[in-house]
Amino acid sequence: MTDQEKFEAKWDVQHRKGTLELVIMAALKGRDLYGLQLLNFLHEFETVTITEGTLYPLLDRLKREGVIDADWRQEEGARPRKYYRLTKLGEKVLPTVSARWRKSAADIECILEGRPSELNKAQSN
């Protein structure tokens, strides 16, 4: 692995750490998913591919924080599965967290393009 590939891999890990809670809440918006379904869904997206060892502790933490809930369901012919869903609190905070994410992405885009922020534009007028 080259130095550049090592740096990119390290950056990807740090990026995921900062966004996984939002990604999981967004993935559960309007639907219930069991753990493996959620993991497979995330694997459809290159930058949020994670392992079970990362997913399940994060789900447990989000459950303790009250933004998701879970219950066991027995479906015909299958073993019981634990399904996760957003709680009322999760539905309430998801738009706020999403807005903060979008603002952060827009701020970073300004920096990458060398443009001043809207705040700096307003202050200089």
Side-chain angles (χ1 to χ4, degrees), residues 13 19 35 45-46 82 96:
V13 167
T19 59
F45 304 92
E46 178 185 344
K82 193 174 192 177
T96 304

Side-chain angles (χ1 to χ4, degrees), residues 8-62:
E8 289 170 0
K10 179 181 153 199
W11 191 88
D12 283 348
V13 167
Q14 293 304 316
H15 179 260
R16 274 192 296 271
K17 283 182 182 178
T19 59
L20 282 176
E21 291 180 3
L22 171 61
V23 166
I24 288 171
M25 288 190 305
L28 293 173
K29 182 181 177 184
R31 63 179 152 214
D32 296 5
L33 297 173
Y34 59 88
L36 189 55
Q37 269 182 316
L38 179 56
L39 190 66
N40 288 336
F41 176 73
L42 296 179
H43 284 183
E44 293 178 23
F45 304 92
E46 178 185 344
T47 62
V48 291
T49 299
I50 59 173
T51 65
E52 288 181 49
T54 299
L55 177 64
Y56 289 104
L58 187 52
L59 288 170
D60 287 341
R61 183 161 45 93
L62 290 171

Side-chain angles (χ1 to χ4, degrees), residues 2-123:
T2 68
D3 287 343
Q4 180 176 342
E5 290 170 332
K6 288 177 186 174
F7 182 84
E8 289 170 0
K10 179 181 153 199
W11 191 88
D12 283 348
V13 167
Q14 293 304 316
H15 179 260
R16 274 192 296 271
K17 283 182 182 178
T19 59
L20 282 176
E21 291 180 3
L22 171 61
V23 166
I24 288 171
M25 288 190 305
L28 293 173
K29 182 181 177 184
R31 63 179 152 214
D32 296 5
L33 297 173
Y34 59 88
L36 189 55
Q37 269 182 316
L38 179 56
L39 190 66
N40 288 336
F41 176 73
L42 296 179
H43 284 183
E44 293 178 23
F45 304 92
E46 178 185 344
T47 62
V48 291
T49 299
I50 59 173
T51 65
E52 288 181 49
T54 299
L55 177 64
Y56 289 104
L58 187 52
L59 288 170
D60 287 341
R61 183 161 45 93
L62 290 171
K63 190 173 179 216
R64 282 192 309 274
E65 292 173 357
V67 294
I68 68 170
D69 202 0
D71 64 274
W72 287 94
R73 299 182 195 166
Q74 176 71 51
E75 296 173 346
E76 192 172 324
R79 61 187 181 134
R81 292 181 172 143
K82 193 174 192 177
Y83 279 80
Y84 297 89
R85 69 189 158 283
L86 283 179
T87 62
K88 296 284 185 200
L89 175 60
E91 291 172 2
K92 183 177 178 182
V93 300
L94 180 57
T96 304
V97 175
S98 297
R100 293 300 298 160
W101 165 253
R102 287 184 178 98
K103 174 63 176 137
S104 176
D107 289 348
I108 292 168
E109 192 62 35
C110 284
I111 294 166
L112 288 171
E113 292 179 1
R115 293 185 286 129
S117 73
E118 295 300 319
L119 178 62
N120 287 339
K121 285 181 193 176
Q123 289 176 348

